[in-house]
Amino acid sequence: MNRLLTLLVLPLLFSCSTEKVDTEKEGQKLMELSREWSKAAATGDIEKIINYWSDDAVYISSGQPTLNGKQTIKEMVAGSSSIPGFSISWEPISVSVSKSGDMAYMIEKNRLTYNDFIGNPIITTGRVVTVWRKNNNGEWKNLVDISVDDVE
């Protein structure tokens, strides 16, 4: 009987001691983090830009092969930065944080500019879904980044 009682009571004790996560507050942190990342992208500082991705990140973009891992994504960022007239910015639209507070996803809009072959700027917009994971240090890192072009 004592063993049965212990099995029933222990989960209750542990569940009561678990700190409830303020998902709204975490969501606001993530929205600000995304805006900060967008500003970092405007600097062209590759190391600063790449720091927002996790080491095991995945990047998926319209018409491009899937990129796996931070190093492969870094090569894409460096290559994009060398395109004449290249710039990218985005704005988060909404965020949803898991009840446990360690995973989240955002819906975002982006704007991409680059020059055509004679130097005229081309501007495209897209829709983005990003998946975020909180690491052991309590930092949010982008785990999955999926971008599709808007239909014109």
Side-chain angles (χ1 to χ4, degrees):
M1 181 71 170
N2 284 342
R3 186 173 183 186
L4 179 60
L5 186 59
T6 301
L7 290 173
L8 293 173
V9 172
L10 275 179
L12 289 174
L13 290 175
F14 284 114
S15 67
C16 292
S17 67
T18 303
E19 186 178 321
K20 185 169 172 88
V21 174
D22 185 342
T23 57
E24 187 173 325
K25 183 178 177 183
E26 286 298 316
Q28 290 305 315
K29 282 185 198 176
L30 270 170
M31 297 276 276
E32 286 306 312
L33 186 63
S34 180
R35 290 180 183 110
E36 178 186 297
W37 190 11
S38 180
K39 289 176 186 173
T43 69
D45 182 337
I46 305 299
E47 292 304 319
K48 191 172 185 178
I49 296 166
I50 200 73
N51 188 50
Y52 290 86
W53 273 292
S54 65
D55 290 339
D56 57 343
V58 175
Y59 180 83
I60 301 170
S61 182
S62 296
Q64 301 297 319
T66 299
L67 304 178
N68 294 295
K70 194 173 192 175
Q71 184 58 41
T72 305
I73 295 170
K74 180 178 180 178
E75 292 166 11
M76 178 272 299
V77 170
S80 297
S81 295
S82 68
I83 296 170
F86 178 84
S87 68
I88 187 168
S89 62
W90 58 89
E91 178 64 26
I93 305 301
S94 65
V95 64
S96 182
V97 178
S98 68
K99 288 181 183 180
S100 61
D102 60 348
M103 295 288 292
Y105 70 88
M106 274 194 270
I107 307 297
E108 303 175 88
K109 283 284 281 179
N110 71 7
R111 178 183 168 106
L112 180 68
T113 305
Y114 57 94
N115 293 343
D116 67 12
F117 67 96
I118 58 173
N120 297 316
I122 297 174
I123 299 169
T124 63
T125 59
R127 294 165 285 155
V128 181
V129 175
T130 54
V131 178
W132 296 76
R133 177 178 61 205
K134 193 179 274 189
N135 68 18
N136 293 338
N137 298 330
E139 299 172 311
W140 286 101
K141 295 291 182 176
N142 181 269
L143 180 63
V144 179
D145 196 326
I146 303 169
S147 176
V148 296
D149 296 334
D150 277 336
V151 178
E152 295 188 30

